[in-house]
Amino acid sequence: MKKLILRAFLLLLTLLMVIPFAGCQETPAPQETSPVTDPDTDPTGSDPETDPGAEDGPNLPVKNYGGDEFTILMRALEEYTEDVYVESIGANSTSLERAVYQRLKDLAYYYNLIIDPVIKERPRDEVPAAAKSGTDGYDLVIEHAGFTLSCAASGYYYDWNDLPYVDLEADWWNSAAAETMTTPGGKLYTMVGDISYMSVGASICMFFNKGLLGDVEDLESPYDLVRSKEWLFDKFEEYVITMDANMDGDATGTLETDSFGYGTGWWAGPSQLLHSTGYRTIAWKNDDWKFPLDNDTTTEAVFDMRDLLWNSGACYAVDTQEFDALIKPFTEGRLAFTDGRVAHARKFAGEDLSYGILPWPKYNKKVREYYATVDGGTNLFSVMRNTTAENAERISIVLEFLAYEGYDKVVPLYYETVLSYQYLKDEDSIEMLQIIHDNCVFDLGYFYSPVSSLVHESVMDPTGPSLSTALGEIEEAAREELYNTWNKLDEGLVEE
């Protein structure tokens, strides 16, 4: 994935060269743009008779679909819609919005398609009926990961192994996602990769206040700790306690007025903790479902996290999944560290705040990478089960085209967009975002299993049962549910 970080760096350099001249120019008039559904106007000047992929891109055929509609069912949730579909652009559109818009225009032009987005508040409600009636009702479904996997478990989706032009070995698809969401029998009913920049945007990261850390002598740069593989939980704990001791809080212990070394919420650090140990919630191993979230390392990690949050006096944990409660104290300089999804960086836009982005620390040196939990709300891409073989070919071309263009043009711009929310540009964050991108964890059990919440429930309830006890109470039921759904997909059984 080194190519992707190089693209991001070159895009950043280009933008930095252009910015100094921007203030000397008049605001440009809004561009006249053809709708995404217009296949007749070439937006790029490219020759449609050539392979739409670049030299290192996908090997796609030249096709003309005669103005057929390609229908995409997606949810009406701004940040999860705009990574695929931007309705129009104008003078105030961002580079990222333009890239997403252009990607669909290029797709429509190259293949003579009319892109038809069907945007619903709850698109998952449309899926059961669509799966049971006729063929090719929707070409592509883009939905919340948890609900997508429930629909997949019901047998509503098509096996990606039968999509002829999708190359799951290519850099623009997430191999970790493919591995974890493949059934025991080898079927794959939903997928993601650089087709969606929210694969990165929905990943848990650590934000830190650069100004606050810079005021404390002898603290090594967290960026350097990441690079040297020394950004570990015990080092993070040391930084949190040190920062808390050097901040001017009012000792009230309230988030509204006091200061803390670290602030977190229900779905951030307490959920990320498991993946920081290198383990996952569930695994298919030796022909059975295992629950590796319960072992000596994760048990120790839960106790360490509990101790940091509840006994150190240096932290504040919000008992809610909302990130918004942490924005004000962080932007006011009353939190040295806080964690959330990468996409939460947009909530700092316009603030006089110098902050950095880091991967969440590894639990110990034995953990290979800085694994980043992808939140269960991220986009997953699926094809309806009643799709004909002929249409599956067309869909596979569209998916491969969008994924490659995302990898080549859109995701690098997403990095730059995340950086644009910072008061002072922090080029180190591009490198950190790439590390997060390369180590995203799509955990099937976290998205879809009764055991999904056990770790963060154990962390957030310091007097509650141990992880082992909590798992023991539901393990057999969880195993039975996985057999009755995920394993049955391999038998060709679907809900009718």
Side-chain angles (χ1 to χ4, degrees), residues 243-255:
M243 291 307 304
D244 183 71
N246 282 272
M247 296 168 69
D248 296 325
D250 62 9
T252 62
T254 65
L255 192 61

Side-chain angles (χ1 to χ4, degrees), residues 178-442:
E179 180 180 357
T180 194
M181 292 187 290
T182 294
T183 68
K187 296 182 181 298
L188 180 65
Y189 293 100
T190 189
M191 192 50 190
V192 76
D194 290 336
I195 193 170
S196 168
Y197 63 70
M198 285 306 294
S199 295
V200 182
S203 299
I204 302 299
C205 71
M206 187 73 71
F207 300 104
F208 73 100
N209 188 306
K210 292 171 66 180
L212 291 177
L213 264 68
D215 291 340
V216 180
E217 294 183 3
D218 301 325
L219 280 186
E220 186 176 355
S221 164
Y223 296 129
D224 291 337
L225 290 173
V226 172
R227 294 179 182 114
S228 64
K229 305 292 185 182
E230 296 295 327
W231 181 231
L232 309 176
F233 185 85
D234 59 357
K235 179 62 72 173
F236 168 63
E237 184 176 25
E238 174 190 326
Y239 272 46
V240 168
I241 293 172
T242 299
M243 291 307 304
D244 183 71
N246 282 272
M247 296 168 69
D248 296 325
D250 62 9
T252 62
T254 65
L255 192 61
E256 289 73 20
T257 58
D258 205 354
S259 61
F260 301 90
Y262 170 49
T264 190
W266 181 267
W267 287 106
S271 297
Q272 168 65 45
L273 179 68
L274 172 65
H275 298 137
S276 77
T277 68
Y279 288 94
R280 306 291 182 267
T281 54
I282 63 175
W284 177 257
K285 188 175 182 181
N286 298 327
D287 295 327
D288 195 10
W289 288 106
K290 310 295 183 183
F291 299 90
L293 80 165
D294 178 25
N295 57 73
D296 290 344
T297 300
T298 57
T299 298
E300 180 184 351
V302 167
F303 282 123
D304 284 347
M305 187 69 165
R306 280 182 176 182
D307 191 53
L308 175 62
L309 289 183
W310 308 116
N311 300 326
S312 70
C315 304
Y316 194 98
V318 180
D319 190 12
T320 174
Q321 58 180 305
E322 296 298 328
F323 181 76
D324 289 358
L326 301 168
I327 297 172
K328 189 171 186 286
F330 185 67
T331 57
E332 290 180 350
R334 293 187 290 105
L335 291 179
F337 292 93
T338 191
D339 44 24
R341 293 183 283 117
V342 169
H344 283 144
R346 71 194 299 176
K347 296 180 180 288
F348 304 141
E351 297 287 346
D352 185 5
L353 174 67
S354 178
Y355 70 91
I357 298 174
L358 301 165
W360 219 80
K362 297 190 293 184
Y363 180 64
N364 57 35
K365 289 187 176 181
K366 294 180 181 179
V367 183
R368 184 177 301 173
E369 303 292 349
Y370 294 102
Y371 297 114
T373 303
V374 179
D375 184 75
T378 195
N379 279 336
L380 290 183
F381 292 69
S382 312
V383 178
M384 299 302 302
R385 77 177 188 209
N386 50 10
T387 294
T388 62
E390 180 182 8
N391 196 40
E393 176 185 283
R394 184 180 72 146
I395 293 169
S396 72
I397 291 172
V398 169
L399 287 168
E400 192 73 357
F401 180 92
L402 293 177
Y404 173 73
E405 292 295 302
Y407 163 81
D408 189 49
K409 298 181 176 70
V410 178
V411 171
L413 280 172
Y414 182 63
Y415 292 176
E416 168 61 22
T417 299
V418 171
L419 263 62
S420 74
Y421 301 132
Q422 299 172 328
Y423 174 62
L424 297 174
K425 289 293 180 69
D426 178 4
E427 296 177 28
D428 290 310
S429 289
I430 282 188
E431 183 181 352
M432 300 299 113
L433 287 168
Q434 185 64 32
I435 291 171
I436 292 168
H437 170 282
D438 291 349
N439 296 289
C440 289
V441 176
F442 294 85

Side-chain angles (χ1 to χ4, degrees), residues 46-59:
S46 304
D47 179 0
E49 297 304 316
T50 61
D51 185 345
E55 290 183 5
D56 58 347
N59 182 21

